Amino acid sequence: MSIGNVSAVLVHGAWADGSSWSKVIERLQTQGIKSVAAPLPLSSLQDDIAALDRTLERVEGPVVLVGHAYAGAVIGSTRADNVQALVYVAALAPAEGETVGDVFYRGETHPQAPRLSPDQHGLIWLPNEAFAAAFAQHASAQELTVLGAIQRPISVSCIGEAVGRPLWKDRPSWFLTAGQDRMISPDTQYFMAQRMNARVRSHAVDHTPMVTAPDVVTNVIVEAIEAVSAR
């Protein structure tokens, strides 16, 4: 099987949308790899899993499923048969019975991480100043403007739902740990990657490397796709 027969499905996390993957999509295309960005409503974990499954139904052939941040919980919760491998990008990977909140708050909070609280609708927005301070401190001014403008809030219910048996117990996984992440502790990322028996790729990148270090992210995805295509 050639790598062109394996598709990448890219899943955004909180305070983002599919456009956060645009640089990675372009780079995968130059290597002949098809990709789809799955839109999540960020309204509940179950809603997000259902939305991902609808995207996966539209993709023919084997898939490498990629999740950023919160989306790690989403990609680990699908049961789609066409998913052959998982790639976690500075992501959260709760184990069975854990919630996103359990792993997000496991380690020490970075001093520049924002204080998060829901609004009157139960939605959590990222303060505008947090994009430059913690979400993507390596981004350009223009990139930060876009990230702030397209941010989508996440519902409190997304982070409080316990997950079932995660797919990473049954599929090979890769984990890009972000050494300069100010949103999710790098130590927490490494802890999760180790217990998953993931192939760990550590880089000195911020929380949103799809935007600020797209080559690094693309390389890990391609590595996973090559492994799937070699079977």
Side-chain angles (χ1 to χ4, degrees):
M1 186 191 308
S2 71
I3 63 172
N5 293 327
V6 183
S7 298
V9 172
L10 313 169
V11 192
H12 66 83
W15 311 301
D17 67 9
S19 66
S20 61
W21 293 103
S22 60
K23 293 182 182 180
V24 172
I25 291 168
E26 293 168 359
R27 284 159 173 76
L28 290 173
Q29 184 184 32
T30 63
Q31 299 196 46
I33 297 170
K34 295 170 291 188
S35 59
V36 176
L40 301 185
L42 302 177
S43 50
S44 75
L45 181 59
Q46 292 306 312
D47 287 349
D48 293 336
I49 297 165
L52 172 58
D53 285 342
R54 289 192 294 271
T55 296
L56 290 168
E57 287 174 6
R58 296 171 43 231
V59 181
E60 295 183 2
V63 166
V64 167
L65 189 52
V66 188
H68 172 239
Y70 159 72
V74 182
I75 68 172
S77 297
T78 185
R79 294 294 177 267
D81 291 336
N82 55 345
V83 176
Q84 301 299 305
L86 302 166
V87 177
Y88 289 74
V89 179
L92 294 165
E96 186 170 3
E98 290 182 338
T99 68
V100 168
D102 289 337
V103 284
F104 183 75
Y105 292 108
R106 178 183 179 275
E108 288 190 20
T109 302
H110 191 279
Q112 289 174 273
R115 297 184 65 178
L116 302 172
S117 58
D119 65 12
Q120 61 182 345
H121 306 291
L123 301 174
I124 303 170
W125 294 85
L126 195 67
N128 281 335
E129 62 274 12
F131 285 95
F135 192 76
Q137 70 268 22
H138 295 165
S140 68
Q142 182 180 15
E143 289 165 343
L144 290 168
T145 297
V146 173
L147 286 170
I150 59 93
Q151 82 150 302
R152 300 178 60 209
I154 185 169
S155 171
V156 170
S157 63
C158 292
I159 66 174
E161 298 178 40
V163 305
R165 177 185 173 88
L167 191 61
W168 48 259
K169 285 186 171 290
D170 306 305
R171 301 287 193 280
S173 59
W174 280 255
F175 203 119
L176 170 57
T177 61
Q180 297 180 1
D181 197 324
R182 297 176 181 175
M183 295 292 295
I184 302 172
S185 165
D187 289 341
T188 295
Q189 293 178 41
Y190 191 72
F191 162 78
M192 292 183 293
Q194 288 291 100
R195 73 177 179 180
M196 293 164 62
N197 292 317
R199 295 161 176 81
V200 181
R201 305 294 179 258
S202 301
H203 293 272
V205 295
D206 64 19
H207 179 65
T208 314
M210 313 91 67
V211 174
T212 60
D215 288 329
V216 169
V217 176
T218 302
N219 288 343
V220 179
I221 296 171
V222 171
E223 181 183 340
I225 288 174
E226 288 176 339
V228 168
S229 63
R231 291 179 192 167

